[in-house]
């Protein structure tokens, strides 16, 4: 009987210890599918990652469900792009999760960010000095010339479309989680290294696929693809709208229509969650082709660890389908 009681007590203590160890794994919330995919890869099977912006959600304005609000209120860490992309999350996070560590990924040191007020109506593929190192797992060793030192300056928030920046985010995610949960630090860093290697391989593969269309100029719906064009040396000539939250003016469309002819634009790409009829009407009477809808944030894809790679592959496939039919 005494042995039985000791066994029961030992089992209870062991269960409590295991529960305590499990409790050390941070409860993590992310803002959008791309960040969710990166964080999920670093977390691995150590714990779930909650996503606020579901499939089809609008990053600029979003109404959370009660279950999502509860997840945010219980969060230990919130990984998000930053207020430049999801300004609605600033007050919501401060109200519901003041205890959580806020990690705006645009503020990771050393990122080669593009200034938001930079004129993007030009050839992105041939006007930058920053030479990307596409080696597996490579990060920027020196501060690039296009990193903006003024923290108060606004930047183009779509930085995840540069695979090197996505790799730097993975490294930062692992660092933050390791500080919160040192017992699993080795696993976080291992998971991040594996994810970085996959993205490096993906980047090399996309470089090879997109090489034949580097010289072909194209337009997009809104000014979100500067990082992608810079990373793959593409000739992005401009966008119909400077923001996906505001429709382009008639004057802007008239000017772009004239530029299409003089610049020899091959394709104009509409965007998911926006009416493609605008693109159709703009190119009417020209030789410009309308491409497939681009999805720069993965909003149309099923959330999960593989979403980042699927999104990047889909962008390249849509570009190739129109530029090199």
């Amino acid at each position: 009987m005494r042995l039985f009681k000791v066994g029961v007590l030992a089992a209870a203590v062991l269960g409590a210890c295991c529960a305590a160890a499990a409790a050390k794994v941070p409860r993590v919330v992310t803002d959008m599918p791309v960040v969710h995919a990166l964080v999920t890869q670093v977390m691995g099977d150590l714990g779930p990652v909650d996503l606020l912006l579901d499939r089809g959600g609008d990053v600029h304005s979003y109404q959370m469900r009660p279950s999502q609000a509860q997840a945010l209120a219980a969060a230990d860490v919130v990984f998000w792009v930053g207020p430049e992309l999801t300004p609605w999350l600033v007050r919501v996070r401060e109200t519901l999760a003041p205890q959580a560590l806020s990690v705006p990924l645009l503020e990771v040191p050393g990122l080669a960010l593009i200034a938001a007020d930079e004129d993007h109506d030009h050839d992105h593929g041939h006007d930058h000095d920053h030479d990307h190192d596409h080696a597996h797992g490579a990060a920027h060793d020196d501060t690039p010339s296009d990193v903006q030192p003024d923290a108060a300056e606004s930047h183009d928030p779509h930085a995840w479309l540069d695979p090197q920046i996505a790799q730097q985010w993975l490294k930062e995610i692992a660092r933050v989680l390791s500080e919160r949960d040192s017992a699993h630090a080795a696993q976080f860093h291992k998971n991040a290294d594996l994810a970085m290697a996959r993205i490096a391989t993906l980047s090399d593969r996309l470089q090879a696929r997109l090489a034949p269309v580097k010289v072909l100029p194209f337009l997009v719906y809104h000014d979100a693809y500067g990082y992608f064009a810079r990373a793959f040396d593409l000739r992005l000539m401009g966008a119909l709208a400077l923001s996906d939250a505001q429709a382009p003016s008639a004057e802007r469309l008239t000017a772009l229509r004239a530029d299409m002819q003089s610049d020899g634009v091959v394709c104009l790409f509409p965007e998911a969650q926006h009416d493609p009829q605008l693109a159709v009407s703009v190119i009417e009477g020209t030789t410009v082709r309308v491409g497939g809808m681009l999805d720069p944030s993965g909003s149309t894809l099923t959330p999960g660890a593989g979403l980042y790679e699927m999104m990047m592959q889909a962008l390249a496939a849509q570009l190739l389908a129109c530029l090199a039919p």
Side-chain angles (χ1 to χ4, degrees):
M1 180 66 70
R2 180 175 297 174
L3 290 176
F4 175 77
K5 289 181 179 180
V6 170
V8 171
L9 179 61
V13 171
L14 180 61
C17 290
C18 292
K24 292 180 181 178
V25 178
R27 299 192 64 171
V28 179
V29 171
T30 59
D31 57 346
M32 59 177 294
V34 169
V35 175
H36 177 264
L38 298 177
V39 176
T40 297
Q41 291 181 73
V42 178
M43 285 287 286
D45 59 2
L46 293 176
V49 179
D50 288 302
L51 172 64
L52 298 182
L53 272 165
D54 286 338
R55 186 173 180 176
D58 182 354
V59 296
H60 296 285
S61 59
Y62 188 68
Q63 193 70 30
M64 286 191 301
R65 298 194 305 270
S67 60
Q68 293 170 319
Q70 291 173 3
L72 183 58
D76 297 310
V77 184
V78 178
F79 289 104
W80 57 314
V81 174
E84 293 92 340
L85 189 75
T86 51
W88 54 269
L89 186 53
V90 175
R91 181 171 296 180
V92 171
R93 180 187 55 78
E94 291 174 348
T95 301
L96 294 180
Q99 80 293 339
L101 174 64
S102 170
V103 185
L105 293 170
L106 278 185
E107 296 180 14
V108 173
L111 300 182
L113 298 179
I114 297 173
D117 58 354
E118 184 176 321
D119 180 12
H120 294 303
D121 290 334
H122 57 261
D123 181 347
H124 276 279
H126 304 276
D127 67 344
H128 59 88
D129 298 324
H130 181 52
D131 182 21
H132 284 268
D133 178 359
H134 297 284
H136 289 218
H140 302 289
D141 294 327
D142 301 313
T143 302
S145 60
D146 50 350
V147 173
Q148 305 300 325
D150 184 1
E153 183 174 0
S154 180
H155 297 103
D156 178 350
H158 306 87
W160 61 86
L161 292 177
D162 182 336
Q164 282 201 6
I165 290 180
Q167 289 177 304
Q168 289 172 280
W169 285 5
L170 284 165
K171 185 177 293 187
E172 177 69 4
I173 291 164
R175 185 193 68 79
V176 171
L177 291 176
S178 295
E179 288 186 352
R180 282 280 171 153
D181 179 9
S182 59
H184 296 106
Q187 189 64 48
F188 291 137
H189 286 292
K190 179 182 177 180
N191 291 345
D193 288 343
L194 290 172
M196 289 170 66
R198 285 194 297 271
I199 289 180
T201 300
L202 170 70
S203 179
D204 290 342
R205 187 163 62 246
L206 295 185
Q207 285 283 352
R209 290 186 63 194
L210 292 167
V213 300
K214 284 184 177 181
V215 299
L216 301 178
F218 64 95
L219 292 170
V220 292
Y221 175 79
H222 101 278
D223 203 16
Y225 304 89
Y227 291 101
F228 192 88
R230 185 183 69 182
F232 299 105
D233 203 24
L234 301 175
R235 293 196 65 190
L236 172 57
M237 305 304 292
L240 298 187
L242 294 178
S243 166
D244 64 351
Q246 183 176 2
S249 65
E251 292 79 7
R252 180 172 180 79
L253 294 179
T254 299
L256 281 171
R257 184 177 171 85
D259 289 341
M260 286 182 199
Q261 306 285 8
S262 60
D263 294 337
V265 170
V266 176
C267 294
L268 170 58
F269 293 91
E271 189 169 308
Q273 301 185 23
H274 296 280
D275 187 356
Q277 189 56 44
L278 177 61
V280 174
S281 63
V282 169
I283 68 162
E284 187 175 355
T286 74
T287 59
V288 179
R289 298 189 289 267
V290 175
M293 283 195 175
L294 302 181
D295 179 8
S297 64
S299 64
T300 62
L301 302 175
T302 301
L307 180 138
Y308 182 81
E309 294 175 60
M310 291 173 59
M311 177 200 67
M312 296 291 281
Q313 290 170 341
L315 286 175
Q318 292 286 34
L319 290 172
L320 287 168
C322 185
L323 293 172

